Every structure is written in C-alpha cells, then in structure tokens.
Amino acid sequence: MELLKVEGLKKYFHLRGNRVVKAVDGVTFSLSAGEAFGLVGESGCGKSTVAKLVLKLLEPTSGRIFFKGRDVTAARGKELSSIRKGLQIIFQDPLASLNPRMNLLDSVGEALIVNRIVSKSDVKERVLNLLQKVGVDGEALYRYPHEFSGGQRQRICIARALAVEPRLIVADEALSALDVSIQAQIMNLLDELRKDSGLSYLFISHNLLAVEHFSDRVAVMYLGKIVEMSGTNTLFKEPLHPYTEALLSAVPKPWADERGKRIVLEGDVPSPADIPSGCPFHPRCPKRFAPCDTIVPEFREAKEGSFVSCHLWG
Amino acid sequence: MSETLLSLENISVSFPHGTGYIKAVDGVSFDVGREETVGVVGESGSGKTLTALSIMRLLPPNAAFSGKTLFKGLDISSLGNSELQKIRGKDISMVFQEPMTSLNPVLTVGYQIAEALAIHSGISMKEALSEAAGLLRRVNIPSPESRAREYPHQLSGGMRQRAMIAMAIACGPSLIIADEPTTALDVTIQAQILELLGSLKEINRMSLLLITHDLGIVSEWASRVVVMYAGRVVENAPAKEIFINPKHPYTLGLIESLPRRKGEKLLPIPGQVPAPDALPKGCKFSSRCKYVVSECLNNEPELSPAGSSEHLSRCVKAMVL
C-alpha cells in the first residue's frame, strides 16, 4: 500500500531583485508501508526542504502530498494534527531539537499529553516504556538534555517521535552529528523498530554508505530535482546517471578491493538561484553531449524500476 | 620507513579540572617519515585534534603541555614563541576543518596568502601579492587573479579550502597538518580536495599528517594509521594491514561499525566514550571491550609490537584477535 505519495512538489523561495531559488523543483515519489526510502544528495540539493514539505513545516509552491490517501497539502487545524500523528521527524542535531529546560520525562511526556494518547497518571509509565524501546536507562527520567551524550540524545528524540505511534518517520541527517560507533547503534535501533512495528522511513542523508545499508529504494537529488531513482542494490551497483556514478565513486572506502575508479567532478554545485539551462548537471558532467545544454531531459523509466533523467538514456 | 621528519615523544596535554588536572592527551608517541602520509583516526574527544595543535603549540592558554616534539631532529617543544613563529607556516603549516573560521573575513584571499609569503621569504608585499595569484592557480582555482581580490565569503566552501591549501603550501613547508580538512565539504568536493592535497604532496615532496574520523579517507590516503582512544594511541600500523588485520578491539569495533554488506546487522561498539574524568582504571577501553579479561581492569597495557615491529597495539589480547 502507498503510505506517502509526493506529486510534482515544488518549493520556490523569492529573493530580492526578482531572483528565485528553486529549492525543490518538481519532485515525485512514493513510499509504501514498511519501506525505507533513501533520499541522497549534496548540500543545497533540496533534500531537507523535501523533508519539511512532507511534514508541512513549509508550504509548497505547488504539488501535492498524500499520506495514507489524505491530502497533507490541503489539511488545516485538527485534520493536520491528526495526520501528523502518523508522521514524525528526527533531525540532525538532537541537542537543538530538545528543550534544554525540560527534563526527559517532560520532553517525551509532552507529546503524549498534547495528543491525548494516555491519561496524565499513565504518562510516566508510558515514557518508561518508550525509553526501554530505544535503550535509554529509565533512571535518567529527571535529567536534562545536556547531561546526555549525543547518541543518548538522539535516542531520546526517537522515543519522542515514537510516542504518537507514527507510521512514517522522516530522518533528516539523523546520524550525521554522531560518531561512527554510535551511528551504527542508532542504525540498528531504527532497523529493529522497523521490524518490530512496521515503521516506514524517509531516510535523508549525505552518507551514502548508511543509505545503502538502510534503504530499500533510493532517490538521488541534484539542484532540486530527482535525477535517478531505483532499488538500492541496482542503484549502487549499476548507477545510470553520470552524477550518481560520480557521487558513488567519490565515497572513500576502507577496503581496497571495494574501490572502483574515482570520477572527480569539475567545479562546484551551481547556486539553486541560478540553475544551468538544459540538464542542470551538464556543466559538470563528464559525459555531456549535444542536447544537454539546451534540452531538459525527461525523467523516465530506463530499465524496469529504474528511473533517470539523462539524455544518455533517452 | 623513510627517514623521520617529525617525532612525537610522550606528548601529554592536561586541563585544570576541579582541584587537579585531567589529561586529554596522555603519553602520545609516533613518528612521521619524510614524504609519508600518516593518518590519525579517532572519535570526538579522542585527543586527535589536541595532539595536532600541540605540535605547533596552538593549544588553548589553560592547557598544560609536556613531552617532546622533534622536527628534523630539533626539539621544537622547547622553543620560545618568536622562534616557533619562524617555523609556523614556513616549515610546518596547518589546514583546518572550517575554512570560513580560519580565514579573516575582512581581508582579501590574496592578501592573506601574500602575508605569509612576505613574512617568511622576505619579499615585498607587492611581489607577494602577485605570487598569491600563482598559488591560487596551483590549487586549481579558476581566474585566480580576480579571485585573489575577493573576500572569503565570495568563495564557495570548496574554493575556500583550496585557498587555505594555497596558503599552507605558500612557503614550501615539509609538513602539512590537515585537521579534518574535508569534514565540512560535500563528498564530490571532498574528492577534489583530497586529490589536490595528494598531488601537491607528491610534487612538493611533503609529509602529510591527516587527522580525520573517516576510516575510508585514511585507508585511501595514508600509508600508516594511528588510532587514538581516550587520549591515547591504541594502535599504530601500516594502512594496508590495519583494515584487514586490526590488533586492537577498538579498531576492530570501528571497522565493524561501518555498513559494508547490505542486510547484515551492524556490530556497533556498545556504550559510549567515558568522560575524561571517569576513565576506567586499567585499559581505558575495557568498559566497552568484548574481549575484556580480568587483567585489563587493573593494569593499562603498553603500546607494544603485535606480530611485527611495524604494528603496535595497546592490548593484552592483541595476538588472539
């Protein structure tokens, strides 16, 4: 079943002097129940804007988002809060997403009280239950965010997200601020939660090794658009888009036998306020040819289940 | 190994804490050979950055330093500030993680590069400024003459880091210390910067001390790897060997934490790094180690050869891992 469906999503930010930043420019994908969908790309590609749009923390310029068949984009008030119960987010920096003046019990308990999930007298018991699920010691109930390590804080944010029993968790760079050994702990925790309660994830990250490990399907974004989307194994083994190819080859790998030929791209990512004509990747593309600088390639199915926007696959 | 260029001998860095001191770096020793790239890896709080800063004595003012730093045989840890100033940026230079905070926002990029040249090689500022553009060209910055007249905020993150590297190589140093030089950059830009550092190192015949948390980077670029945990060196081995045959449970744990095969459960290191004022008594890793035995709890093992004289480990079980 389709849990989340995003159609032609656009978010433009208007700057002074009639300049427009096309942060998200026509993104379409869907995610089924129990699935982990990875969204990768470099800074400025629009992946975090997609996260905020999905939760309606930002209003889209155009396009529609459906969660369990309900239109998120049109929802207001009670309808919106009821949708958001099924839809939670964890951010990169757990310290910035926890209130420094609220202890653990209040931070996690607030979600339960606001959404009237349990009666006030049962809050403590439920919080303890949630903490056990994410592996935080229940003794710590009255401690404040600064008293925990980064990994513990991220666990607390996960417990808070789980409080409303969501169906989908948007993880926006949720591992990026953590050390390698702690990243592995959190990834295992997210995996277990998925197996135990059938959670789905929109897993947004620039860490390609983590995305490969964690996701069933992956979409690669570049300058506000999805340039390639397919099953994780296919995408990592046989990337179709030259950008995906370069991105994957740029990841430093600890094991010599897993390294392929490195493709070093020229230049920087152009500003999203000044997107190149034709294929937005053409100025940096090692495989560009005649139509690339004038004609925008269509996003089409090149092989079964593999979508790409590139003239090489036209 | 080639001839030694830099030798750290028993480096410790302590900070006042309560009535006493706590050691953030404790007895670190390792060598960097001429034209060698040594990678130092470790997680936050392992002391890798403080070790790097201590080489040029750029430590915070309240830090207490002890130990010996030999550079080309000269004990630079005993030098006064004015003598050290002649070495900083000339024989040894540094590249930091965040170029925006290491560059002066109110001076042009060209001026900042020229400044180092004018101070160390005694040429006039005018000559230095024209040389600065040449240096920007060497780090592959397009239209270097006009870029030299720009301010740091006008450059992208990748270009700022290139400018930092131009500054670092300006006076032809024999050692560059790069502390997380690509951590703030995107992966395709990271690849560009590492390729650049690697090729400059070859052309200028420099040594590189590469501090990073990324095991992939050290494996690809370093010939030797020093692994730090809780302010100590726990393993020091050739890069080719350490990923295949680690001899310390912490190194093994870091490697096993990395996603490798899809669908395989990751094997994280349990728990977290203990606070520097609450380290276990014996081996500092014993509280998280799955190979722990009773002797680990009382005595801290020495860093000693495990299998070969080139492969050092601080673990009593090194040979059975």
Side-chain angles (χ1 to χ4, degrees):
Chain A
M1 189 201 103
E2 251 172 24
L3 187 67
L4 178 75
K5 195 168 163 195
V6 172
E7 276 178 359
L9 194 62
K10 289 186 183 179
K11 178 67 190 176
Y12 293 175
F13 294 97
H14 294 271
L15 304 179
R16 267 184 308 181
N18 281 332
R19 300 209 313 149
V20 178
V21 172
K22 297 180 174 176
V24 175
D25 197 11
V27 161
T28 298
F29 65 89
S30 64
L31 191 157
S32 35
E35 189 178 33
F37 184 79
L39 199 54
V40 300
E42 301 181 283
S43 358
C45 74
K47 56 191 191 304
S48 288
T49 308
V50 169
K52 290 186 185 131
L53 289 167
V54 163
L55 277 113
K56 215 181 179 214
L57 297 172
L58 280 176
E59 286 286 340
T61 306
S62 68
R64 306 236 283 180
I65 299 160
F66 296 94
F67 181 68
K68 292 206 268 186
R70 292 155 88 184
D71 190 344
V72 181
T73 24
R76 300 275 180 281
K78 271 189 183 163
E79 167 78 1
L80 184 60
S81 20
S82 124
I83 291 177
R84 278 190 181 145
K85 263 192 223 173
L87 197 58
Q88 290 290 304
I89 186 164
I90 32 180
F91 294 101
Q92 172 168 353
D93 182 357
L95 192 56
S97 23
L98 290 166
N99 185 335
R101 312 212 307 185
M102 276 165 89
N103 65 32
L104 182 45
L105 174 62
D106 294 337
S107 271
V108 180
E110 191 183 32
L112 295 167
I113 296 166
V114 169
N115 289 292
R116 300 206 180 94
I117 291 180
V118 292
S119 64
K120 276 200 172 147
S121 55
D122 295 333
V123 167
K124 191 173 162 188
E125 195 191 324
R126 182 55 88 67
V127 170
L128 282 170
N129 193 301
L130 286 162
L131 291 180
Q132 195 198 355
K133 248 190 186 167
V134 298
V136 173
D137 188 359
E139 300 274 298
L141 220 45
Y142 298 100
R143 295 221 195 120
Y144 290 85
H146 74 270
E147 297 177 81
F148 296 92
S149 67
Q152 294 290 314
R153 283 179 206 137
Q154 197 59 294
R155 286 174 194 270
I156 294 165
C157 288
I158 295 172
R160 186 174 58 179
L162 291 176
V164 295
E165 295 176 5
R167 302 312 310 147
L168 174 67
I169 289 188
V170 178
D172 186 8
E173 298 281 8
L175 306 175
S176 305
L178 308 172
D179 275 319
V180 181
S181 67
I182 309 299
Q183 284 187 12
Q185 292 179 2
I186 300 293
M187 248 193 286
N188 277 351
L189 171 65
L190 294 176
D191 251 340
E192 278 161 28
L193 293 170
R194 181 178 168 198
K195 279 181 196 123
D196 295 349
S197 43
L199 268 177
S200 307
Y201 295 100
L202 178 57
F203 189 76
I204 296 172
S205 177
H206 70 279
N207 180 343
L208 291 151
L209 291 173
V211 170
E212 181 180 12
H213 177 82
F214 196 75
S215 323
D216 304 309
R217 280 190 308 135
V218 185
V220 180
M221 284 187 75
Y222 189 78
L223 286 174
K225 288 192 163 76
I226 293 182
V227 295
E228 181 165 357
M229 179 166 77
S230 59
T232 306
N233 290 333
T234 318
L235 188 124
F236 278 80
K237 276 205 195 79
E238 298 157 38
L240 301 176
H241 199 286
Y243 176 64
T244 315
E245 228 179 326
L247 194 64
L248 297 181
S249 84
V251 179
K253 298 184 185 69
W255 295 279
D257 59 338
E258 287 171 18
R259 282 174 212 151
K261 196 181 173 320
R262 171 146 305 153
I263 304 160
V264 178
L265 291 177
E266 282 168 34
D268 289 312
V269 181
S271 153
D274 190 13
I275 294 177
S277 63
C279 167
F281 184 59
H282 87 264
R284 301 175 79 201
C285 184
K287 295 183 177 171
R288 62 176 173 259
F289 62 113
C292 299
D293 60 345
T294 47
I295 303 165
V296 182
E298 255 180 72
F299 188 61
R300 67 183 79 185
E301 192 163 13
K303 296 176 179 177
E304 206 197 329
S306 295
F307 297 81
V308 66
S309 62
C310 174
H311 290 303
L312 286 171
W313 299 93
Chain B
M1 201 184 86
S2 56
E3 188 194 338
T4 303
L5 178 73
L6 174 79
S7 183
L8 304 186
E9 291 178 9
N10 210 11
I11 301 293
S12 295
V13 178
S14 324
F15 291 92
H17 180 76
T19 53
Y21 275 88
I22 48 167
K23 281 189 173 174
V25 175
D26 194 353
V28 165
S29 304
F30 62 86
D31 293 346
V32 179
R34 280 190 192 267
E35 299 179 38
E36 188 186 27
T37 299
V38 172
V40 179
V41 288
E43 299 180 289
S44 359
S46 63
K48 56 189 192 304
T49 292
L50 282 172
T51 304
L53 292 174
S54 78
I55 296 169
M56 292 215 276
R57 289 232 308 277
L58 297 171
L59 294 167
N62 63 342
F65 170 87
S66 74
K68 241 182 177 180
T69 313
L70 299 174
F71 179 69
K72 295 182 180 168
L74 174 74
D75 181 5
I76 58 170
S77 48
S78 64
L79 296 181
N81 207 29
S82 63
E83 284 162 308
L84 260 178
Q85 208 61 304
K86 291 179 194 153
I87 293 175
R88 290 180 187 143
K90 183 163 192 294
D91 296 305
I92 308 177
S93 48
M94 266 190 103
V95 176
F96 295 96
Q97 174 173 343
E98 192 20 270
M100 199 60 205
T101 55
S102 335
L103 289 165
N104 188 329
V106 299
L107 297 174
T108 63
V109 171
Y111 182 89
Q112 297 184 57
I113 298 170
E115 197 179 23
L117 273 170
I119 289 169
H120 288 301
S121 34
I123 56 174
S124 73
M125 201 55 195
K126 202 180 155 199
E127 284 170 296
L129 278 168
S130 68
E131 223 171 286
L135 281 158
L136 288 176
R137 179 173 297 116
R138 280 182 64 194
V139 295
N140 305 331
I141 289 188
S143 36
E145 282 81 11
S146 59
R147 286 297 186 183
R149 288 190 295 271
E150 293 187 349
Y151 292 88
H153 76 270
Q154 293 171 289
L155 271 55
S156 70
M159 280 218 261
R160 284 196 285 264
Q161 199 58 300
R162 285 174 193 274
M164 284 296 295
I165 292 170
M167 202 182 294
I169 61 165
C171 301
S174 39
L175 173 68
I176 289 190
I177 303 170
D179 186 9
E180 304 273 10
T182 58
T183 306
L185 305 173
D186 277 318
V187 62
T188 60
I189 309 299
Q190 166 171 292
Q192 292 174 355
I193 296 293
L194 291 171
E195 293 282 343
L196 174 70
L197 264 178
S199 75
L200 288 171
K201 176 201 163 274
E202 292 298 317
I203 297 164
N204 295 6
R205 311 186 64 174
M206 298 181 292
S207 304
L208 185 60
L209 183 61
L210 187 60
I211 319 268
T212 175
H213 68 283
D214 189 321
L215 294 169
I217 292 178
V218 283
S219 167
E220 290 193 5
W221 295 96
S223 52
R224 220 147 37 78
V225 180
V226 173
V227 182
M228 288 188 68
Y229 184 79
R232 289 148 177 80
V233 174
V234 293
E235 189 162 1
N236 179 341
K240 272 190 204 125
E241 211 179 299
I242 202 162
F243 292 96
I244 303 164
N245 192 14
K247 296 272 190 216
H248 193 283
Y250 177 62
T251 315
L252 180 67
L254 282 181
I255 294 171
E256 287 182 337
S257 298
L258 292 175
R260 193 173 184 194
R261 307 227 189 284
K262 189 154 176 54
E264 253 174 40
K265 203 169 151 71
L266 302 173
L267 300 169
I269 304 170
Q272 62 217 36
V273 182
D277 59 347
L279 294 177
K281 187 172 161 242
C283 169
K284 306 306 164 207
F285 188 60
S286 60
S287 55
R288 303 173 74 192
C289 183
K290 57 182 172 184
Y291 300 96
V292 66
V293 290
S294 60
E295 68 178 295
C296 305
L297 303 177
N298 295 311
N299 302 310
E300 185 170 12
E302 295 286 321
L303 188 65
S304 46
S308 82
S309 61
E310 287 277 280
H311 197 150
L312 307 176
S313 165
R314 192 188 283 278
C315 177
V316 293
K317 304 275 273 182
M319 293 316 293
V320 295
L321 282 183

